[in-house]
Amino acid sequence: MPSNKPHTSTPSPRAAAGDSNAPLVELKAVHKRFIGTHALKGIDLTLNKGEIHAIIGENGAGKSTLIKILTGAHEKSSGTILWEGREIGLRSPQEALGLGINAVHQEVVLCPHLSVAANMFLGIEEQGFGLMRQRAMIQRAQATLDDLGFRLPAAAPLNSLTIGQQQLVAAARAAMRGTKLLIFDEPTAYLARGETDLLFSLIRRLKREGVTIVYISHRLEEIFELADRVSVLRDGQLVASRAIGETSQAQLIRDMVARSIDQVHHKEAIKKGELLLEVDGLSGPGFKDVSLTVRRGEIVGLYGLIGAGRSEFVQCLYGRQPKSAGRVSLRGAAVKIASEADAIRNGIVLVPESRRDQGLCLNLDVGFNLALPIFRRLSPMGLVQRGAERAAVEKQISDLAIATAGRHAQAFTLSGGNQQKIVIGKWLNHGADLFIFDEPTVGVDVGTKVQIYKIFAELLKNGAGIIMISSYLPEVYDLCDTLHVFRAGRQVAAYAAGEVGHDVILGDAIETQGSRR
Amino acid sequence: MSENTPSDPGMAPAPQKAKSKFEFLRGLTLLGLLLLIWIALSLATESFLTTQNMTNLMRQTSLWAIIAIGQTFVIITGGIDLSVGAIVGLSSTVVSILLKAGFPIWAAVAITMLIGPIVGAFHAFGILRMGLPPFIITLASMTGLRGIGLLLTDGLTITGLPDEFVNFSRESFLGIPALAWMALIVAIPAFMLLHHTRWGRYIYAVGSNAEAARLSGVSISRTIYLVYITSASCATFAGILTASRISIGVATTGESWELQSIAAAVIGGASLFGAVGNVLGPVLGSLLLTTINNGANLLNINPFWQRIIAGALIVLIVWLDQMRRKKR
């Protein structure tokens, strides 16, 4: 069997496995320059055989660039890369794949129209006489999935699975490719806890088989659960590489941003005002019988697992989906919200879950995105007043410290955290009474997180109310004045801030989900 | 993205059943629609269900099907080939010129067939190296190749092609017209390539997510070369057959066939967004379009109305198809 054929199951005795402290990859003074940016400034990094090496850093610190260099998607500008002591160029994805380097990306990078099995075998199809052995591939893929404990159908089209399940397919796909170095870029951002556990057991198993793992995550507790060593990037430079036993969350956060941990979940004491929103027995597609209130100056949190019905609830509140029962009152008067435009007119705005798909026009410029909701205001006679547009846009860029080459830069050129700032900024430009934030800090670096929390406080002080959805319990726990727990489309509990501990809330959220925790 | 599906990894969804049943249904409903039109036409006219008319129908279908199959390859990658009509015109004139110049048939056909790879490679080069959108580079060929054809013939019609060449399109084998056999000779390898080789899989992969394909080690450029050369070659082949069928070489042959081929592919279920389509679809789509033209002729419908009807049917069929897809 040729060496690049996938191996499906049982740990094959790898020559490298015993040799655990020898470096697999060494980066020496690696630089990467793009037009206008110096993304990596002389990185020295050693990845040892068979270790789980976490890499952390704020968005824009250079993590994505580093991965792209390791996977051959970008070529380094200068420096040396050694692979098992031998110098390599890493000029193309093919070269990286040939060495046994694979990656599982943050956003699933697979072909949604192909089947699970076809994705797993993409580029390494099994053939006989020039034709594909389709049945054999489906069987092999199914065997791999079953063996890993992922109960997913190999013959199903990928786009019939949830994002979390697709992420697991991506991981299984990488695992079966006879990999030596496997890079996970924030794989758990869209995973439910049960799926995260499956992924972690896969990662630990690969480590036992001698695979070197690079693990990138903003969730520090995951890193302490999983990693052997951790490296911190800041502004394109490597700050430190440490053994996980010799460091602490507080130290890592200081390395990343020079900011201490209790400042991250920034929360100010703000007086609650009058009743702003009252929802009574609202039902709609994916959720049933939800009642809650939001006061001016209050953050109401919605916590639950992915699929619990929280996004469906706010989408209905925002007029994207029709309600089937219940009443909504704003500022004491019943309102009927039949469309997004109705919601915005009534002073409700939504910062959606997926900034790429729902929040931004990625191939238009930063200025356009920031001005999009207010073009009506900017064009009183039908013509857009360019001066007013520029002023509104520049105000948000400087207020929010959006790191961009300028308002004419295209939105996709910005890092995740800065893209999120644009989505928030466009609604700050517009103004509203009730702000709904759906997973506002997913894939956002610590610095931007703090900034987002400060914006929350600012909005509250000005008399707005906030509904915030988050799957990250410490965040909603620390920030919210009232916390509603959702499970399987139902509102199962509500607590005031600090009323109960994390364990109670987590228990409410997962009770019937059969999770192992 | 959204939270609308429960994501317990332990669940065992069965969507592939629904999908395959649905694929089958789409072929069936298109066939059903065809049968319906055929039955209606047989009842409404005396001339529809005659051997002569059926043979005629199959001949025209075959020419369009060959082009539409190539077009479908391009469409699956998310591209489009507007040049196929012009290629038909050019290749029909080139093969006629060569035959008139005394080349034996095999040589004239072989030389003409070079047009496919040359034009297809030019398109792929333009897309990959010059960064032009497929729409633009093939639009340029659409007018440019027509011009070459007109220049070569000085705008005149080439007549007096050898009898053996002209007779080929009129022959039948086992009761099936030779042109229909030619369509099969194209369709079967196309089916094997698209559905049973890894190259076929890469065509879908490039249309679905080119970046994912690239990161999997798939060569995007080879795939793009493959589909545009396939499309141009299919059109060249159809052009040679068309010259045989109409027994003359005219540079304006095949005008608007690029639109017919796109319509046939889309009626057959291909998506202009890429990654969706198969080989049977464009064949059925061509059959439907030919039937509409043929039936309208037999019913003595004003040809101007024929165009309107064809346009309305495209909207109707594709809309119905999308409704079905949404319901899934």
Side-chain angles (χ1 to χ4, degrees):
Chain A
M1 200 184 283
S3 62
N4 69 340
K5 282 282 167 94
H7 74 95
T8 41
S9 57
T10 47
S12 51
R14 283 159 187 271
D19 195 9
S20 66
N21 274 326
L24 177 72
V25 185
E26 286 172 272
L27 272 60
K28 292 185 175 165
V30 168
H31 285 263
K32 178 67 191 176
R33 291 178 192 86
F34 297 104
I35 301 159
T37 8
H38 193 170
L40 293 181
K41 301 167 187 162
I43 299 284
D44 293 299
L45 176 67
T46 304
L47 304 171
N48 292 330
K49 285 181 182 164
E51 73 172 352
I52 300 179
H53 195 124
I55 294 179
I56 59 174
E58 295 193 277
N59 284 350
K63 302 186 302 285
S64 303
T65 312
L66 184 61
I67 298 165
K68 285 186 171 145
I69 284 180
L70 284 173
T71 54
H74 286 337
E75 196 182 338
K76 61 177 163 39
S77 303
S78 64
T80 315
I81 302 175
L82 299 178
W83 176 264
E84 296 179 324
R86 187 168 52 84
E87 184 164 352
I88 52 170
L90 273 183
R91 285 185 188 88
S92 68
Q94 280 90 340
E95 187 182 349
L97 290 170
L99 290 167
I101 301 174
N102 266 292
V104 176
H105 298 273
Q106 178 182 357
E107 316 270 337
V108 180
V109 187
L110 295 175
C111 296
H113 300 81
L114 298 185
S115 72
V116 170
N119 270 295
M120 289 172 68
F121 279 94
L122 188 60
I124 53 164
E125 285 80 1
E126 287 187 23
Q127 299 181 95
F129 306 108
L131 301 182
M132 284 186 299
R133 301 173 56 211
Q134 313 214 38
R135 197 165 300 166
M137 285 195 284
I138 289 176
Q139 281 169 2
R140 291 272 303 272
Q142 191 67 59
T144 305
L145 292 168
D146 292 348
D147 184 48
L148 293 169
F150 299 174
R151 281 187 279 155
L152 299 170
L158 189 76
N159 55 15
S160 68
L161 305 184
T162 64
I163 296 292
Q165 290 171 328
Q166 294 183 20
Q167 192 65 266
L168 291 181
V169 171
R173 171 189 132 97
M176 70 179 277
R177 295 187 168 226
T179 300
K180 284 188 173 174
L181 173 64
L182 186 47
I183 300 162
F184 287 91
D185 184 6
E186 282 208 59
T188 59
Y190 296 104
L191 293 192
R193 183 66 226 190
E195 293 168 335
T196 303
D197 289 342
L198 284 172
L199 182 73
F200 283 9
S201 59
L202 167 65
I203 292 175
R204 291 200 181 95
R205 172 174 168 164
L206 289 168
K207 173 187 154 78
R208 282 198 301 278
E209 292 176 23
V211 178
T212 304
I213 311 278
V214 171
Y215 189 87
I216 289 157
S217 178
H218 285 304
R219 299 184 180 170
L220 291 179
E221 69 279 5
E222 287 181 0
I223 285 162
F224 281 89
E225 189 177 337
L226 207 58
D228 301 314
R229 285 205 299 153
V230 52
S231 293
V232 182
L233 288 181
R234 186 171 69 209
D235 299 331
Q237 289 173 317
L238 190 83
V239 180
S241 286
R242 294 196 176 87
I244 202 76
E246 295 162 13
T247 185
S248 65
Q249 292 209 13
Q251 184 180 36
L252 293 180
I253 289 182
R254 275 199 306 277
D255 282 349
M256 277 193 286
V257 292
R259 190 183 294 117
S260 77
I261 206 167
D262 49 328
Q263 281 177 303
V264 169
H265 291 155
H266 174 92
K267 171 87 181 158
E268 295 177 25
I270 291 160
K271 203 166 159 287
K272 310 284 167 296
E274 63 195 40
L275 197 60
L276 180 63
L277 173 80
E278 193 173 6
V279 177
D280 186 20
L282 195 70
S283 297
F287 68 97
K288 228 177 158 178
D289 198 18
V290 174
S291 300
L292 56 79
T293 60
V294 182
R295 297 183 164 280
R296 290 186 187 276
E298 182 185 29
I299 301 185
V300 173
L302 308 183
Y303 177 72
L305 302 183
I306 293 185
R310 300 162 300 162
S311 288
E312 285 78 358
F313 165 68
V314 297
Q315 303 249 337
C316 180
L317 190 60
Y318 190 59
R320 288 198 59 171
Q321 300 286 343
K323 64 175 180 180
S324 56
R327 278 183 303 122
V328 177
S329 306
L330 265 175
R331 295 170 286 264
V335 287
K336 189 171 168 295
I337 294 167
S339 68
E340 296 88 338
D342 274 355
I344 294 166
R345 263 197 301 279
N346 278 298
I348 303 176
V349 299
L350 171 71
V351 174
E353 183 180 10
S354 169
R355 53 183 167 260
R356 286 166 174 275
D357 294 331
Q358 302 168 318
L360 289 175
C361 302
L362 281 175
N363 53 5
L364 292 174
D365 63 37
V366 172
F368 176 90
N369 276 288
L370 282 167
L372 183 56
I374 55 167
F375 275 128
R376 183 190 299 267
R377 195 187 305 156
L378 292 175
S379 52
M381 305 292 283
L383 296 175
V384 177
Q385 298 185 330
R386 292 181 169 256
E389 181 186 8
R390 190 174 59 238
V393 165
E394 293 292 357
K395 177 174 169 11
Q396 294 304 336
I397 291 178
S398 66
D399 283 3
L400 299 179
I402 297 173
T404 167
R407 67 194 164 91
H408 293 301
Q410 289 183 310
F412 73 83
T413 60
L414 273 64
S415 70
N418 283 300
Q419 288 181 357
Q420 186 71 314
K421 287 189 207 171
I422 302 179
V423 183
I424 294 173
K426 78 181 200 186
W427 291 118
L428 295 183
N429 250 338
H430 182 272
D433 276 347
L434 180 65
F435 286 82
I436 304 171
F437 292 91
D438 194 350
E439 302 281 8
T441 59
V442 164
V444 165
D445 59 274
V446 180
T448 306
K449 262 186 196 173
V450 174
Q451 217 179 336
I452 289 173
Y453 301 146
K454 288 192 170 149
I455 294 169
F456 286 3
E458 222 30 60
L459 291 170
L460 297 177
K461 276 188 228 161
N462 292 331
I466 291 176
I467 294 178
M468 173 177 167
I469 293 180
S470 176
S471 299
Y472 186 52
L473 184 53
E475 177 179 55
V476 268
Y477 189 88
D478 291 349
L479 282 170
C480 296
D481 302 295
T482 311
L483 187 58
H484 295 270
V485 185
F486 279 59
R487 184 177 71 227
R490 299 271 187 167
Q491 191 181 11
V492 291
Y495 301 106
E499 190 183 329
V500 293
H502 284 203
D503 48 337
V504 177
I505 294 168
L506 193 60
D508 285 333
I510 64 181
E511 193 167 74
T512 58
Q513 297 268 344
S515 165
R516 290 187 284 140
R517 302 229 153 186
Chain B
M1 225 100 330
S2 80
E3 300 194 2
N4 53 10
T5 23
S7 64
D8 173 9
M11 73 168 193
Q16 78 264 44
K17 272 267 162 58
K19 169 96 175 181
S20 57
K21 199 166 124 201
F22 159 74
E23 290 285 345
F24 165 74
L25 259 179
R26 179 161 64 206
L28 201 72
T29 42
L30 200 52
L31 259 181
L33 184 66
L34 266 168
L35 278 178
L36 215 69
I37 297 177
W38 281 27
I39 290 169
L41 285 173
S42 339
L43 294 176
T45 69
E46 286 178 0
S47 45
F48 181 74
L49 212 59
T50 56
T51 319
Q52 199 205 338
N53 188 55
M54 278 296 151
T55 316
N56 193 21
L57 193 73
M58 276 165 87
R59 285 188 183 131
Q60 189 58 43
T61 299
S62 303
L63 293 175
W64 283 359
I66 290 170
I67 302 170
I69 288 169
Q71 181 75 260
T72 302
F73 273 54
V74 171
I75 287 177
I76 292 173
T77 63
I80 197 146
D81 190 345
L82 295 177
S83 72
V84 291
I87 293 174
V88 166
L90 179 64
S91 56
S92 73
T93 49
V94 168
V95 77
S96 303
I97 290 169
L98 291 172
L99 288 169
K100 286 288 276 185
F103 280 83
I105 292 177
W106 67 265
V109 169
I111 293 170
T112 309
M113 279 306 293
L114 291 176
I115 293 174
I118 292 169
V119 174
F122 168 67
H123 292 158
F125 180 85
I127 292 162
L128 294 165
R129 297 277 158 210
M130 303 165 73
L132 297 175
F135 189 98
I136 298 302
I137 185 85
T138 60
L139 181 70
S141 290
M142 176 177 149
T143 81
L145 296 179
R146 261 311 157 212
I148 294 176
L150 289 166
L151 213 58
L152 288 175
T153 59
D154 219 358
L156 301 173
T157 302
I158 302 170
T159 54
L161 301 183
D163 287 345
E164 296 128 301
F165 181 74
V166 172
N167 287 339
F168 176 78
S169 65
R170 298 179 186 161
E171 275 163 22
S172 285
F173 179 66
L174 299 177
I176 292 172
L179 288 181
W181 285 109
M182 292 300 108
L184 270 182
I185 284 178
V186 172
I188 291 171
F191 177 83
M192 294 308 286
L193 176 64
L194 194 58
H195 298 293
H196 288 281
T197 69
R198 61 195 176 96
W199 291 108
R201 181 118 328 145
Y202 297 163
I203 292 173
Y204 284 98
V206 167
S208 181
N209 186 341
E211 183 64 9
R214 193 174 79 92
L215 293 175
S216 300
V218 172
S219 165
I220 309 276
S221 61
R222 274 192 227 171
T223 311
I224 295 293
Y225 271 100
L226 173 70
V227 296
Y228 284 92
I229 289 176
T230 302
S231 176
S233 299
C234 284
T236 307
F237 188 49
I240 296 169
L241 296 176
T242 306
S244 163
R245 179 162 152 74
I246 60 177
S247 66
I248 46 174
V250 192
T252 52
T253 308
E255 216 139 53
S256 89
W257 283 14
E258 60 282 337
L259 300 181
Q260 297 285 356
S261 70
I262 294 164
V266 171
I267 288 171
S271 161
L272 291 177
F273 297 111
V276 180
N278 58 47
V279 170
L280 183 62
V283 175
L284 290 178
S286 305
L287 187 54
L288 186 75
L289 288 173
T290 318
T291 303
I292 293 166
N293 281 1
N294 178 274
N297 278 334
L298 296 180
L299 290 169
N300 266 329
I301 295 176
N302 177 334
F304 303 153
W305 272 107
Q306 288 184 24
R307 291 172 177 237
I308 298 174
I309 293 168
L313 272 172
I314 290 171
V315 173
L316 182 75
I317 290 165
V318 177
W319 178 65
L320 285 175
D321 187 42
Q322 293 201 336
M323 296 298 284
R324 254 201 317 278
R325 254 181 252 206
K326 269 190 196 144
K327 245 183 231 159
R328 185 161 67 93

